[in-house]
């Protein structure tokens, strides 16, 4: 949403994270990763995650999804599954 800066991440057909791992969504602001949050996928590998406003993160340059240890990480350390540029 370019007016309110809301964002949705739609994940479809992802495998369940391995035992002891979780998916984590990140934004990159001025080259620094900031966690949006962690998430699981349902039995079909789907998940929808909403950010109520990207403005609170600053000028978002990129988005990442990684697999991290349960509970999440302070910075991306696991396998990078998705990377996209902000529009």
């Amino acid at each position: 949403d370019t007016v309110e800066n809301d964002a949705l991440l739609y994940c479809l057909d992802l495998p369940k994270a391995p035992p002891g791992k979780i998916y984590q969504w990140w934004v990159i602001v001025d080259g620094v990763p900031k966690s949006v949050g962690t998430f699981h996928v349902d039995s079909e590998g789907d998940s929808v995650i909403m950010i109520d406003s990207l403005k609170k993160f600053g000028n978002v340059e990129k988005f990442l999804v990684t697999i991290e240890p349960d509970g999440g990480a302070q910075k991306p350390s696991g396998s990078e599954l998705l990377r996209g540029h902000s529009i």
Side-chain angles (χ1 to χ4, degrees), residues 47-78:
S47 187
V48 178
I49 304 93
M50 181 179 165
I51 300 176
D52 58 1
S53 177
L54 290 173
K55 289 179 183 178
K56 64 184 170 191
F57 293 102
N59 183 28
V60 175
E61 302 159 0
K62 297 177 186 173
F63 298 92
L64 298 176
V65 173
T66 59
I67 295 181
E68 302 294 347
D70 273 340
Q74 295 297 313
K75 61 182 180 178
S77 63

Side-chain angles (χ1 to χ4, degrees), residues 3-4 10 12 25 28 31 33 36 42 50 53 63 65 74 80:
V3 175
E4 297 295 325
Y10 288 94
L12 304 172
W25 185 14
I28 307 298
V36 174
D42 66 17
M50 181 179 165
S53 177
F63 298 92
V65 173
Q74 295 297 313
E80 189 176 305

